[in-house]
Amino acid sequence: MTTTSTTRLLVIGGGPGGYVAAIRAGQLGIQTTLVEAQALGGTCLNIGCIPSKALIHAAEHFDAATRQAGGAGHLGIRVDAPRIELDKTMAWKDGIVGKLTGGVGALLKKHGVRVLAGWAQVVDGKTVEVKLQDGGVERVACEHLLLATGSVPAELTALPFGDAVISSTQALALRAVPPRLVVVGAGYIGLELGIAYRKLGAEVTIVEAQDRVLPAYDAELTRPVARSLQKLGVRVLTATRVRGLGADGQGVLATDAAGQDSEIAMDATLVAVGRRPRSDGMGLETLPLQMQGRALKVDDQCRTSMRNVWAIGDLAGEPMLAHRAMAQGEMVAEIIAGKTRRFTPAAIPAVCFTDPEVVSAGLAPDDAKRAGLDIVSAAFPLAANGRSLTLDSADGFVRVVARADNHAIVGWQAVGRGVSELSAVFVHAIEMGERLEDVGATIHAHPTLGEAVQEAALRALGRALHV
Ligand code: FAD
Ligand code: NAD
């Protein structure tokens, strides 16, 4: 049976982009309906950011215990043969996911958002048919349509998903640690999960097509990560391409830059070669929407080429990050409510939760030079930061990039243990237009990693105190 309803704003997708848009719209008094086919929280809360960070945390603890038991013992801690019970780890992770997704449901309810559980099929720019999970169909007419359908893992023709070839979704729900894991792609997912499974005891081989890991970041920033991979015993094959599965299905065929073929034995292969916007299977192709590659083309207010049809988050292309989706969602709700807003952030921070962590906000030195800026840049080594040493970690640095003429900060990068939390001060400094002198003259608590931020600014001014 088909029922009908009307709403002012219809949001398709309950991920960080869609649910934040709906909450803000509710707060602003906009009548809002949100359709979600799977689970509120989307990729990020259910099969992305949150479960991956939980697994990384558990893996770090297990690795630390294993290293102490293995005789390192330099912290004076004695542990006898730790074991991992991955089922329990996954149950703990699922508990966190449950708390957060339950919280999203409660917030939507609190702000008066109507949630429909089902698959949305777009009929036209103002009508959507929802195949409800309980079997019915609801035709919803709306004034504004917000598309926030996210992204899905990119598949390799040579290694399609199935059996031992898995995506991040399966990798975050394994019931046992695979003895031999091949990871294709040394980007965010490949490195975050590859390192986690290595720490959980798997023999890990990472195959990357480019000539270094994390090729999207600058080379200097990723060097400590490459050193750590070596120390952890992760085998890294760069400039190598995968050609498919071996004859028995238990190996991955690869070819290196010199044309040498090899077969890498494996029990599971995680393919993490990027994600593509989810724009198919819901009737979007029937609308006159302009595309940019596989993403929906949007302007700086997230308007598509159709009036009152908006697109945000991964569906609207790179950078595919949860905080960018949320910021866009909040903005669109405000524009619909009549506020004047544009999506023109001075910087969108990016963090890779590897060991060590990598952070970047704004321009790296080479980006700034390419943009024609005359810059001053300096790095402060974490080996000279007391807090880093007390965290048993010394490899890494904090780097600042500023204009040479007025010292306005245009970029920050850092690599090291625990530096992900510095992303807040980095992006704040750039958005507020801080200068090197502002950061250099601010008292930072001791002993914290924040002191390395201040010291990087002082070093760029030629007066660092601790190096
Ligand atoms: P999504 O979160 O993908 O949500 C889209 C939702 O739309 C889904 O729930 C889907 O079911 C629903 N949907 C789609 N089509 C329909 C339809 N027709 N009808 C009804 N519902 C529909 N980003 C970070 O910033 N930090 C991280 O640490 C991080 N870690 C990640 C780790 C992994 C393993 C992965 C895979 C991603 C990670 N990301 C991270 C990326 C982040 O998850 C995404 O950028 C973010 O989820 C995008 O939000 P979104 O709202 O655009 O889409
Ligand atoms: P990615 O773009 O980060 O990395 C993909 C890697 O695969 C690249 O290094 C690329 O050179 C390599 N590659 C591509 N084709 C290949 C091939 N045929 N053989 C070998 N290597 C190949 O993509 P991802 O790791 O899949 O992550 C997808 C997206 O999810 C990211 O771009 C990011 O937006 C988001 N994400 C973010 C975080 C975070 O913020 N911490 C974590 C995970 C995912």
Side-chain angles (χ1 to χ4, degrees):
M1 194 185 91
T2 302
T3 54
T4 57
S5 64
T6 58
T7 187
R8 179 140 182 250
L9 169 62
L10 179 65
V11 181
I12 305 183
Y19 86 70
V20 165
I23 288 174
R24 187 70 189 121
Q27 288 173 345
L28 292 163
I30 299 169
Q31 184 198 17
T32 303
T33 300
L34 181 145
V35 191
E36 171 53 56
Q38 288 178 305
L40 288 176
T43 302
C44 178
L45 266 57
N46 294 285
I47 51 169
C49 328
I50 296 298
S52 60
K53 270 77 245 180
L55 190 69
I56 288 166
H57 179 73
E60 265 168 19
H61 275 267
F62 182 63
D63 178 56
T66 308
R67 276 187 289 122
Q68 295 305 309
H74 64 292
L75 302 188
I77 301 168
R78 288 254 68 102
V79 184
D80 289 328
R83 285 180 303 123
I84 184 81
E85 294 175 346
L86 199 63
D87 262 350
K88 283 193 186 157
T89 310
M90 293 294 179
W92 167 73
K93 171 213 74 169
D94 291 342
I96 296 168
V97 170
K99 270 185 209 138
L100 291 174
T101 54
V104 168
L107 287 169
L108 289 167
K109 194 169 169 191
K110 176 176 161 193
H111 295 292
V113 176
R114 183 165 177 248
V115 176
L116 296 179
W119 180 258
Q121 186 77 23
V122 174
V123 178
D124 59 40
K126 295 205 176 307
T127 321
V128 167
E129 209 160 77
V130 183
K131 210 176 260 177
L132 296 166
Q133 270 166 17
D134 66 11
V137 173
E138 182 164 328
R139 187 173 256 252
V140 189
C142 63
E143 201 179 306
H144 293 272
L145 176 61
L146 174 52
L147 304 167
T149 55
S151 62
V152 290
E155 197 166 28
L156 288 177
T157 323
L159 275 183
F161 294 123
D163 298 327
V165 181
I166 60 175
S167 73
S168 54
T169 305
Q170 287 93 46
L172 289 169
L174 292 176
R175 292 292 142 202
V177 176
R180 296 161 306 177
L181 176 69
V182 170
V183 176
V184 185
Y188 282 91
I189 294 177
L191 284 193
E192 287 187 1
L193 296 186
I195 290 175
Y197 273 106
R198 174 66 196 136
K199 289 183 172 180
L200 290 170
E203 252 178 51
V204 175
T205 304
I206 300 184
V207 183
E208 165 60 47
Q210 303 280 323
D211 59 4
R212 61 188 177 83
V213 298
L214 287 177
Y217 286 94
D218 74 79
E220 201 184 354
L221 198 57
T222 57
R223 229 161 267 142
V225 179
R227 277 195 288 272
S228 162
L229 286 165
Q230 198 175 22
K231 222 160 126 189
L232 285 165
V234 174
R235 194 172 155 222
V236 180
L237 307 176
T238 51
T240 301
R241 295 213 153 253
V242 290
R243 285 182 291 111
L245 286 179
D248 61 0
Q250 289 176 359
V252 171
L253 304 174
T255 306
D256 67 17
Q260 270 306 336
D261 292 337
S262 61
E263 181 166 347
I264 313 158
M266 59 89 185
D267 302 287
T269 294
L270 164 62
V271 173
V273 294
R275 294 178 63 84
R276 67 167 176 82
R278 184 180 350 213
S279 56
D280 45 3
M282 60 189 93
L284 289 185
E285 58 287 351
T286 64
L287 303 185
L289 289 166
Q290 268 183 32
M291 306 295 289
Q292 191 148 45
R294 303 191 79 150
L296 282 201
K297 188 173 179 194
V298 292
D299 67 8
D300 62 2
Q301 290 190 309
C302 291
R303 293 178 194 271
T304 67
S305 50
M306 281 180 79
R307 195 174 142 76
N308 289 350
V309 178
W310 314 73
I312 56 171
D314 288 7
L315 177 66
E318 300 282 350
M320 292 194 191
L321 297 171
H323 39 284
R324 178 243 195 184
M326 292 193 247
Q328 290 180 324
E330 189 242 7
M331 177 193 72
V332 169
E334 296 212 337
I335 296 172
I336 292 172
K339 294 183 194 286
T340 306
R341 292 281 309 270
R342 299 209 173 265
F343 193 70
T344 50
I348 300 176
V351 176
C352 195
F353 293 83
T354 35
D355 176 8
E357 293 172 343
V358 180
V359 188
S360 177
L363 302 176
D366 286 347
D367 303 329
K369 284 178 203 152
R370 269 193 297 273
L373 291 183
D374 187 12
I375 55 155
V376 49
S377 172
F380 184 79
L382 291 180
N385 174 267
R387 180 60 181 151
S388 280
L389 299 187
T390 64
L391 291 172
D392 195 22
S393 165
D395 202 5
F397 58 85
V398 173
R399 182 172 66 196
V400 66
V401 185
R403 291 174 61 111
D405 54 359
N406 60 8
H407 294 173
I409 295 168
V410 294
W412 289 101
Q413 297 81 39
V415 52
R417 174 164 296 174
V419 296
S420 55
E421 295 300 331
L422 296 180
S423 61
V425 292
F426 289 171
V427 75
H428 194 271
I430 297 172
E431 278 291 347
M432 294 301 116
E434 287 176 18
R435 289 158 199 265
L436 293 171
E437 287 80 355
D438 297 321
V439 179
T442 302
I443 298 175
H444 288 68
H446 177 76
T448 63
L449 297 178
E451 289 171 288
V453 176
Q454 181 183 11
E455 287 277 12
L458 288 174
R459 197 170 197 191
L461 292 168
R463 50 189 174 90
L465 294 164
H466 290 90
V467 72

